[in-house]
Amino acid sequence: MPVLEVAEENTELQWCFWASDDRLVCKVRIVKDDSGLILGYSRLFAMKADGTESIRLTEIPMGPGRQMQYGGEVIAREVPGKDDVVLMSRPMSGGLGVEEVSVTQNRERMVQRGNRNAIAYLADENAQVRLMMTATNNATGYTRDEVAYFYKDGDATDWNPLSRAQLSLQSSEGFRPVAVQASDNSVYGFEKVDGYDALVKMTLDGSAEREVVLSRNDVDVDSLIRIGRKDRIVGVSYATEKRLVQYFDPQLDALANALSKALPDTPAINWLDADEGENRLLFAASSDTDPGMIYLYDKASNQLSEVLPVRDYLGKVAMGDMQPITYTARDGTQIPGYLTLPHGSDGKSLPTIVMPHGGPGSRDEWGFDWLVQFFVARGYAVAQPNFRGSAGYGDAWFGRNGYQAWETAIGDVNDAARWLVSQGIANPEKLAIIGWSYGGYAALQSQVVDPQLFKAVVAVAPVTDLNLLKEENRKYAGFSQYKDMIGEGPHIEAGSPARQADRFQAPVLLFHGDLDQNVADAQSGLMERRLQSAGKSVRYITFKDLEHDLDSHGARSRLLLETDAFLAEALRK
């Protein structure tokens, strides 16, 4: 029986958590098209476990025409000694501040006065506000890439400078705090060490003593592992061929290893939550061939019980194993990636899809991928290259990013296809490329580089003109980040597939949501018009009232079925 259903148009339920034994706090996101300016709004609510007695936790400013996008954030799920109270950062007079908020009556007590430059706060496990992140706008009104962090020593009232950092779509520099720990008066954060992100710990007693907790010389260390109502820090993770965790807690390490062995078909353990004493633990177990199951583990009884399957409608559908691969690019560089073959296939002369990831500041990882497994079930081999310009492999691999250095990134993508042919895996007459977001850009730009290589192109929410991507973000506060990411120079003309439509040889299928704030649907519309004017084969499908991720069962089902039919026709499969 549903506890909460969101019926308002263009509204999505994002998450819920237990604020007490009988009260939930939930966050919804609302997207509106305000005269061509697409904006997202967040709102927080509390309610009883049966969905009744709902109250709004987001303060809405009074006055005609006043709108507030940011609805606040919970920075501590419980406040010691106070039942049914959470700690929230909320917009208030003077800027962003922090309040203790009752989830039963929405009464509040101010903890931190509003600061007009504050954009985030961190609290420790005792619900004490310990860290403030600030940023300012430049002379043109756009948000600066540079942020500053300030800390409080214990329950002191004064803010002390901690660090400064650059946070942009292009790169991140400096110490970036993510969690405060009162037990040893320290803060954990990420910082570059020899060109790779590492987990670093600093004391908050004024000495600024630093400890590199974990660094590597092959991949970035990128995720802090936390658990329970107090978000206890228990480990850190990074992705090589598979995602690995280094636990700080020996008991939890032993438990995670035991659970992986007890569930050999779903060895990837992802902690979701725990009760007050961490005696009952909620986690998800999954693999590359199984979307997973959510389990409850009871320490006292040593019992493991199933709670909820993930994508249970897949039933017993046979999945393909995702195998790490390395192939050689045209300049001799070894490129990592993944290859998934149809279940039971001999891996020879198959219809094949190259699927570059989005981003470009992202990467593919080992695990269940619904898009990959659909096409594998339809008989395709699917390759996912982590081309140069991907994140997670350090600064040198990311380079100038996959837009400014598109020739390198797209070259690596195309080289994946050539390698698949050279290995006898791919039938060269049945090669297709499919991508989403930056991956859609890569799919289209691959035709500009080598029009003969792929016989069909599918691009979902793609960038098609680099200057248009920059200009469509001019109306948003983060414009300077897009300006730096795209840059200036001849790469904009040569690297915009919509400006090179005459080079296309393969048929193109485009998908886009009309409420996409990441990449405006005007990008796909432009590509369609340019291809049509050049006399090329193109079809464009628009999804009404959907965002970048097309998070709708109906939309995604149509995307898969339309793509399957398109590929069957284009490849004569």
Side-chain angles (χ1 to χ4, degrees), residues 303-348:
Q303 292 295 309
L304 186 66
S305 52
E306 295 182 350
V307 176
L308 185 70
V310 180
R311 300 181 188 271
D312 59 331
Y313 51 82
L314 289 176
K316 300 297 182 180
V317 176
M319 304 291 175
D321 295 327
M322 179 184 284
Q323 298 295 330
I325 59 170
T326 301
Y327 63 92
T328 304
R330 63 214 170 281
D331 62 0
T333 302
Q334 297 298 299
I335 311 296
Y338 299 93
L339 175 64
T340 309
L341 300 177
H343 181 73
S345 165
D346 63 2
K348 300 298 182 184

Side-chain angles (χ1 to χ4, degrees), residues 243 260 263-270 283-288 293 366-367:
R243 182 155 287 274
S260 290
L263 303 166
D265 293 333
T266 53
I269 304 299
N270 180 27
F283 69 94
S286 64
S287 74
D288 56 335
M293 173 70 71
W366 182 89

